[in-house]
Amino acid sequence: MRSAPDRLRTSTGMEGSLLVGMLMGLVTGAVAIGTAHLVAGLVNPGASPIVTVGQASIDATPEWLKGWAIRSFGSRDKLVLLSGIGAVLVLIALGLGIASVRRLWVGFVGLGMFGALGVVAALTRPAAEPIDALPALVGAVTAGATLLALHRRAFPTLRSAAPEPGGGAPPDLDRRRFLLAGAAGGVAAVFAGGLGNLLGHRFRADASRAEVVIPAPSSPATSTAGVELSVPGLGPYLTPNDRFYRVDTALLVPGVVAEDWRLRVHGMVDHEIALGYEQLLARPLIERDITLACVSNPVGGEYVGNARWIGAPLKDLLEEAGVLPGADQIVTRSADGFTAGTPTAVAMDGRDAMLAVAMNGEPLPLDHGFPVRMIVPGLYGYVSATKWLVDIELTTFDAFDPYWIERGWAERAPIKTMSRIDTPSPSAPLRAGRVPVAGVAWAQHRGVDRVELRIDEEAWIRAELATTDTIDTWRQWVVMWDAAPGDHTLQVRATDGNGETQTPERADPFPNGATGYHTVVVRVT
Ligand SMILES: Nc1nc2c(c(=O)[nH]1)N[C@H]1C(S)=C(S)[C@@H](COP(=O)(O)O)O[C@H]1N2
Ligand SMILES: [Mo]
């Protein structure tokens, strides 16, 4: 007879071990599929057992059953079949789990058989590669380890005691440790599976991007002769894609496949529009150089870049949809649920607001919003530049607060006039003599008319400006400086096309963009 406290910790009985077995089976099965799916996400999403075993099962389903499924469920037939297969797998997992309580080897044999099935299903797919066996193998091995760990947590006493010949008293159970381990296993399985899914999407999006051909724009960008000053240490006029800053809320880049992409234009419009990627590419496309900036960019910071974008004008699309009076906000939504709100009046005022599909001569990189993002010259990214764009809703500022507005950032955020000193850098050794001081200045959609440099609080010196063919990009500037030995403070300021000069007042990026003069201290020897 057990004493009362002992009974509390270890009481089991028939139903107890039945439940333990079922949970053990479910968690083990989930870990098998979750980890296999994760590995597939890394090596080849098509090699996930969910795909390979699912496909093999569908292929092996007798015709009469398939016919019945199609007749009864139409286009959802495959989902129904897969759910049926899933239900069978759950039952098998439950059974194996229950059997494993007494005879752990039964569980291992079962896992071995499923692992083998997964490997065969993966390797017999058309165009299979040896690596495709990996997901099922890893799934089976981690599931085996999970089963062992759960069993040890559940029955710590069983390890030492010799197994009793069938029908003995149920083994002792450590319920708390088992439930904790089971929950941890379940969470890990779901997490691994979800991660595998995201990675897998990224794979497919990469493949889809490789297939994309961007048509020639009907309105190409004008020539850029003279926009580039060649000064060592000054960055290029067009920022290469792999050096373009990236800012978003996505933990993992959403993998959107171009062929699956749909855009909905709805809300306060006369008629909704739904559009696929090919239809978007078939529209007249414009090509423009536009400098994008993040509101979080500190004075002198790197969260700004200039690219040559190709896209379909947003205005045309909105005119086709017919914007209803009063719809003062365009809310754009991404595949991962991010939202931005752009003033309708700004998008419609004739500037080159576009649904961009290409960046610097390539389809949009995944990190920068493939397949489609929005670009609106003159507005910070968080109120305009939605990446992985899937939805455009005409609404009002009163009716909806987008992502960053909910978090306190300004509702309307035109880009503030800003200038930056790129060279000389404070860290580099500088020799006395004639040195170029150079950088960029931007005031998108107002244009940069003047840049001035001040050295050691003396008079402002007017910088030489690179040419420009648009008011939507930054402008490079340079001043030749006779640098004398000693420490010197360099400061820059720009004046926009409306004659307004940058304020010297220092402000943090929150809530609508930083201000102040970029100031660099250099040591000349
Ligand atoms: N889907 C999505 N789009 C987004 C964001 C985001 O978090 N998610 N961030 C915005 C912000 S704050 C900026 S500054 C720009 C940056 O674009 P980039 O990463 O291509 O430079 O994207 C905008 N578009
Ligand atoms: Mo941003």
Side-chain angles (χ1 to χ4, degrees), residues 53-125:
V53 177
Q55 189 63 55
S57 313
I58 286 174
D59 295 346
T61 305
E63 283 310 318
W64 61 264
L65 186 55
K66 265 193 249 187
W68 171 81
I70 291 170
R71 276 195 308 280
S72 315
F73 305 105
S75 60
R76 286 206 297 274
D77 62 322
K78 282 187 200 61
L79 190 62
V80 171
L81 280 175
L82 284 176
S83 309
I85 293 158
V88 171
L89 285 178
V90 166
L91 288 178
I92 295 176
L94 292 174
L96 283 173
I98 292 167
S100 307
V101 170
R102 297 275 168 72
R103 285 173 281 272
L104 197 47
W105 61 265
V106 176
F108 289 135
V109 169
L111 276 176
M113 284 167 53
F114 272 100
L117 185 74
V119 168
V120 170
L123 292 183
T124 51
R125 274 167 34 99

Side-chain angles (χ1 to χ4, degrees), residues 74-446:
S75 60
R76 286 206 297 274
D77 62 322
K78 282 187 200 61
L79 190 62
V80 171
L81 280 175
L82 284 176
S83 309
I85 293 158
V88 171
L89 285 178
V90 166
L91 288 178
I92 295 176
L94 292 174
L96 283 173
I98 292 167
S100 307
V101 170
R102 297 275 168 72
R103 285 173 281 272
L104 197 47
W105 61 265
V106 176
F108 289 135
V109 169
L111 276 176
M113 284 167 53
F114 272 100
L117 185 74
V119 168
V120 170
L123 292 183
T124 51
R125 274 167 34 99
E129 311 252 357
I131 186 101
D132 293 348
L134 199 64
L137 284 177
V138 173
V141 170
T142 41
T146 304
L147 180 61
L148 186 64
L150 285 177
H151 198 271
R152 286 189 172 170
R153 296 285 182 303
F155 310 112
T157 54
L158 205 63
R159 255 184 301 165
S160 42
E164 298 178 50
D172 284 353
L173 172 63
D174 187 338
R175 195 169 292 167
R176 169 137 24 90
R177 293 191 54 198
F178 170 72
L179 284 179
L180 275 177
V187 168
V190 169
F191 185 76
L195 191 62
N197 225 17
L198 288 170
L199 291 170
H201 275 293
R202 163 140 207 162
F203 244 103
R204 291 183 46 222
D206 271 328
S208 147
R209 179 175 181 269
E211 298 287 300
V212 163
V213 179
I214 305 289
S218 49
S219 167
T222 38
S223 112
T224 58
V227 295
E228 192 113 46
L229 300 174
S230 60
V231 175
L234 177 60
Y237 171 73
L238 289 174
T239 315
N241 290 350
D242 58 1
R243 282 172 49 193
F244 205 95
Y245 82 95
R246 176 185 163 201
V247 170
D248 53 60
T249 58
L251 211 52
L252 269 169
V253 172
V256 181
V257 173
E259 299 83 72
D260 300 343
W261 179 82
R262 302 287 295 166
L263 175 70
R264 223 180 125 213
V265 184
H266 63 113
M268 295 171 69
V269 293
D270 278 330
H271 10 259
E272 285 197 11
I273 294 178
L275 190 84
Y277 189 66
E278 285 306 319
Q279 287 165 294
L280 184 69
L281 292 190
R283 299 177 68 90
L285 299 178
I286 56 172
E287 180 187 50
R288 297 290 183 267
D289 296 345
I290 297 166
T291 298
L292 183 61
C294 183
V295 69
S296 302
N297 194 32
V299 174
E302 298 283 331
Y303 295 153
V304 56
N306 186 39
R308 176 161 290 190
W309 312 91
I310 296 176
L314 175 63
K315 187 171 186 247
D316 300 356
L317 194 70
L318 294 183
E319 274 167 358
E320 272 173 50
V323 177
L324 296 179
D328 60 0
Q329 182 177 221
I330 304 169
V331 170
T332 46
R333 189 178 304 268
S334 72
D336 64 337
F338 171 85
T339 48
T342 309
T344 311
V346 171
M348 303 292 273
D349 74 359
R351 72 184 73 197
D352 292 317
M354 64 168 101
L355 306 180
V357 291
M359 181 179 183
N360 291 326
E362 300 173 16
L364 278 182
L366 259 60
D367 286 356
H368 297 289
F370 180 81
V372 180
R373 78 174 303 169
M374 200 143 93
I375 292 290
V376 181
L379 303 186
Y380 285 119
Y382 81 106
V383 291
S384 66
T386 303
K387 307 193 269 187
W388 315 291
L389 174 72
V390 293
D391 190 283
I392 298 180
E393 182 180 357
L394 275 294
T395 178
T396 63
F397 277 102
D398 281 344
F400 184 77
D401 281 345
Y403 189 89
W404 286 114
I405 313 313
E406 255 194 314
R407 288 155 179 82
W409 292 76
E411 201 171 65
R412 292 166 197 254
I415 295 174
K416 295 180 179 176
T417 303
M418 187 49 69
S419 49
R420 191 176 76 190
I421 300 168
D422 287 352
T423 181
S425 92
S427 51
L430 198 59
R431 278 312 179 86
R434 241 172 118 68
V435 289
V437 180
V440 281
W442 59 91
Q444 289 91 317
H445 214 60
R446 298 181 299 280

